[in-house]
Amino acid sequence: MHVKHIPCGEYANQSEQNALEFLRQRLNSEAGSDTWFLLTNLLLSLGHESLPEEIDLLAVGPTGVFVVEVKHWDASLLKSTTAEAEKAAERTAMKAKKIAGKLKNVLSFDPGFVQPRLLFTRNDREKHSTPTRRTIEGVPVFGLAEWRELLDLSVLSSTTLTTEQSAQICQLLQPQAALSITGKVRHLMDFANMEKISEDPNGFCRVYRARRRPGMDRVIVHIYDLTAITPLYDLTSGQKTVDPRAIAQREYEVMQRLQKSPWLPHIFDSFQPVPGYPGELYYFSYADTSAVSLQERASDPTWDVSARLFTALQSVRALRDIHQNCDDQDGSMILHRNITPETIRVRSNNEPLLTGLHLARISSQGTISGMVAPEFEGRECYVAPEVRPVGLTGYTVEADIYALCASHRVLFERFLEDPKAQEAWQILNEGMAVDPAQRPDLTTLERKLEALSSGKPDVVSVPVACWDETTVLKFNNRYYRVLSRLGQGAFGTTFKVEEIDHPAERRQLSGPYVAKAITHAEAGRVAAEAYARVRAQTGGPHLAGVLEVAPEWQPDQITVLLKWVPGDPLADLRGLLPLYLEDQGEGSNVESVETQVLQWLYDLCEGLAHLHRAGLVHGDVSPK
């Protein structure tokens, strides 16, 4: 059987941890394809007038739902702890009823009777079934040796839960369990708006695109579930031969080793455990650029051939920079293994940025069985022919070169009447030779493209769609550098920016701010006038501040500069409000949530009333 442990809080004592490890090992050794979910130290509120209590162990699996109270007792202690044992049994029965009540009116299926259990751990060989099962206040008692009876595995149970039903129960009782069970999570720690972009088949590594609080920076987050791979040990030495944590950390070290490259994103969070999941979940994150993809940039007819040649040349240098970063242990080369026109981004200064690094590996590092096996569907034309039938394990330096050349042909396919574009097309075709041995190396590619290039082109004006972290904009005689893209609508795009002293020096003077660029001409003129009208009324309680407005709308320029407002959009809190308020130090029960929401409504009405008294309406109020 497969076992998924979901830690919901800290162990109260070593006995609870030992019981969990004992059950996990025994269930893992059982035959079958079913999954058991073991939630430990699940917080269970018994009402706002009583102290909250925890469930030591909630086991959910094919035979039903079990509320287990773990006690470091044995039969000999019962005589001296009778009163305490009766109280423990009563509490366990009450917790089981509470769980049953939570499930009763929500689930579309019958979870069966929620079973209360007492588990004694002091004597791991002791049994409590002779001649009949010992009970305390109607709650049956089990020893560790009776673990099969504890979970009704030794009898034919009337309750049969599928793995999907068990997962649904866990997510209902512990919303954060979605991360461990399905990877479907929108918020975690300081990460918001999480969207899964990659997952290996058995869930060991999940990769998300997210916003990182408090600055709402765009990041890529790698989360590793160490329980998805069973550690293997050498029977003689006792040392781990397959260590899930070491595998996960090795992937982070690939990113860490590449940090000096100017063509790769920088790390935000180093490799560390997810709070609340010690020994279970680890993560790290790195910046997700706002730069457009090579595919999107190539579609701009105003982007000339000289700039395209420069980008292609720098991309060759960027890949060579990756390959030249070797593993300190054995000198093995790092491979990208995921080069496409979408994973290559183009900055506003025409410099490339290599992204999609969740498949990067050290060339000598074998793929763990079942750990990484993504399909090539949708990107076959960028995958070397020798790699397509064997998968990622067949990737080589030559395969990376093939992908790079195949991706960059999109730059020149519409400009083949230009002699330089035609020659560049031919050079890239050489890098796509069917025989890997016939492909030129990166040094040769660099030399040939360099002979065509005219050097770094001057950047005069950059379309709004191409603004990124390298973009500097002049607005009302001040300079602003783009920090990240915040959002995009039908008429404009918003950016997080900071004021700098000069485009060359780029020393921060103030910020952050929100810059909005309207891309639709007619809407831009109307918006500029609207912001000018409302500016004097903003900046007070519950209204964001309009700081500066362009004298007149101009294309590819900032239209308005707004005050930066930290916080989360209301839309992002849907379904998570109690957890959010708890994180903010507020109460999370029903009364506290209602009080807070009513206060927000009152404050919003006050802000809108201020506008209405000035003869203005907002016109775009929404949860976003």
Side-chain angles (χ1 to χ4, degrees), residues 251-271:
E251 295 192 14
Y252 164 70
E253 288 170 354
V254 171
M255 276 295 300
Q256 191 179 40
R257 195 169 292 119
L258 298 173
Q259 277 300 282
K260 293 181 180 179
S261 173
W263 295 294
L264 292 171
H266 65 271
I267 291 175
F268 261 104
D269 298 282
S270 60
F271 184 78

Side-chain angles (χ1 to χ4, degrees), residues 1 20 56 153 225 227 275 533 624:
M1 291 185 178
L20 179 279
D56 294 342
L153 289 171
D225 183 355
T227 66
R533 286 178 178 275
K624 292 185 179 181

Side-chain angles (χ1 to χ4, degrees), residues 83-95:
E84 194 172 336
E86 290 174 351
K87 290 180 180 178
E90 290 173 357
R91 287 197 302 268
T92 305
M94 188 184 303
K95 293 173 185 178

Side-chain angles (χ1 to χ4, degrees), residues 41-55 94-99 101-102 173-174 582 587-591:
N41 306 97
L42 175 66
L43 184 64
L44 182 66
S45 176
L46 298 180
H48 67 277
E49 294 182 352
S50 62
L51 293 174
E53 291 196 56
E54 286 184 344
I55 295 176
M94 188 184 303
K95 293 173 185 178
K97 290 179 181 178
K98 186 72 174 180
I99 291 295
K102 285 191 172 187
L173 299 174
Q174 175 71 352
E582 188 175 345
S588 58
N589 57 35
V590 174
E591 291 84 356

Side-chain angles (χ1 to χ4, degrees), residues 210-219 266 268 286-292 345 464-473 480-488 493-498 512-517 558 561 564:
R211 293 283 187 176
R212 188 180 185 277
R213 298 185 183 99
M216 299 305 285
D217 299 294
R218 296 157 57 108
V219 294
H266 65 271
F268 261 104
Y286 56 88
D288 180 23
T289 181
S290 299
V292 298
R345 302 295 188 89
V464 172
C466 299
W467 291 3
D468 63 72
E469 299 81 12
T470 63
T471 307
V472 174
L473 305 158
Y480 296 91
R481 182 176 77 89
V482 172
L483 298 176
S484 66
R485 185 191 304 266
L486 296 174
Q488 186 171 351
T493 308
T494 55
F495 298 86
K496 180 182 177 183
V497 300
E498 65 179 6
Y513 304 102
V514 174
K516 191 172 185 72
I558 295 174
L561 192 71
W564 171 261

Side-chain angles (χ1 to χ4, degrees), residues 339-340 344 382-384 395 398-408 431:
I339 298 174
T340 72
I344 301 170
Y382 309 114
V383 179
Y395 249 87
E398 291 75 22
D400 261 356
I401 292 173
Y402 181 100
L404 186 77
C405 292
S407 298
H408 280 80

Side-chain angles (χ1 to χ4, degrees), residues 548-582:
E548 293 190 64
V549 184
E552 60 179 13
W553 177 85
Q554 292 182 351
D556 300 324
Q557 298 292 327
I558 295 174
T559 306
V560 61
L561 192 71
L562 307 168
K563 184 177 180 181
W564 171 261
V565 180
D568 296 281
L570 189 63
D572 292 350
L573 303 182
R574 184 177 290 125
L576 297 168
L577 195 52
L579 295 175
Y580 171 82
L581 293 177
E582 188 175 345

Side-chain angles (χ1 to χ4, degrees), residues 62-304:
T63 58
V65 182
F66 302 87
V67 174
V68 182
E69 183 81 5
V70 180
K71 293 295 182 185
H72 193 55
W73 294 347
D74 58 15
S76 64
L77 283 176
L78 283 181
K79 293 182 180 180
S80 59
T81 58
T82 301
E84 194 172 336
E86 290 174 351
K87 290 180 180 178
E90 290 173 357
R91 287 197 302 268
T92 305
M94 188 184 303
K95 293 173 185 178
K97 290 179 181 178
K98 186 72 174 180
I99 291 295
K102 285 191 172 187
L103 301 178
K104 180 179 179 181
N105 298 320
V106 179
L107 297 175
S108 59
F109 57 89
D110 181 10
F113 180 65
V114 177
Q115 304 278 358
R117 298 282 197 255
L118 288 173
L119 177 61
F120 289 1
T121 61
R122 187 170 183 178
N123 185 341
D124 60 5
R125 296 184 179 183
E126 185 176 67
K127 296 185 177 182
H128 299 269
S129 57
T130 305
T132 58
R133 173 67 55 198
R134 184 195 306 273
T135 62
I136 303 175
E137 296 296 308
V139 178
V141 179
F142 300 83
L144 287 173
E146 301 170 299
W147 65 274
R148 293 180 58 83
E149 292 85 350
L150 174 76
L151 301 178
D152 282 352
L153 289 171
S154 57
V155 296
L156 182 62
S157 174
S158 59
T159 301
T160 302
L161 296 178
T162 65
T163 296
E164 291 74 18
Q165 290 172 335
S166 297
Q168 188 176 342
I169 289 171
C170 293
Q171 292 175 59
L172 175 64
L173 299 174
Q174 175 71 352
Q176 291 177 325
L179 174 62
S180 292
I181 297 171
T182 66
K184 295 178 181 178
V185 60
R186 291 286 291 165
H187 293 71
L188 179 71
M189 301 175 292
D190 291 330
F191 302 114
N193 300 345
M194 297 178 69
E195 299 177 6
K196 191 193 297 181
I197 58 176
S198 175
E199 178 180 12
D200 67 77
N202 67 355
F204 175 68
C205 178
R206 298 177 180 125
V207 184
Y208 298 83
R209 178 169 284 113
R211 293 283 187 176
R212 188 180 185 277
R213 298 185 183 99
M216 299 305 285
D217 299 294
R218 296 157 57 108
V219 294
I220 301 294
V221 189
H222 288 231
I223 298 179
Y224 298 91
D225 183 355
L226 304 193
T227 66
I229 295 181
T230 303
L232 298 181
Y233 297 85
D234 183 273
L235 296 179
T236 304
S237 65
Q239 297 294 316
K240 287 183 180 179
T241 55
V242 173
D243 184 353
R245 187 181 185 280
I247 295 169
Q249 189 159 3
R250 189 83 179 272
E251 295 192 14
Y252 164 70
E253 288 170 354
V254 171
M255 276 295 300
Q256 191 179 40
R257 195 169 292 119
L258 298 173
Q259 277 300 282
K260 293 181 180 179
S261 173
W263 295 294
L264 292 171
H266 65 271
I267 291 175
F268 261 104
D269 298 282
S270 60
F271 184 78
Q272 57 193 288
V274 174
Y277 295 86
E280 306 284 338
L281 299 174
Y282 283 77
Y283 78 100
F284 71 89
S285 73
Y286 56 88
D288 180 23
T289 181
S290 299
V292 298
S293 68
L294 187 73
Q295 183 78 47
E296 185 177 353
R297 191 71 178 100
S299 65
D300 180 3
T302 66
W303 197 37
D304 61 33

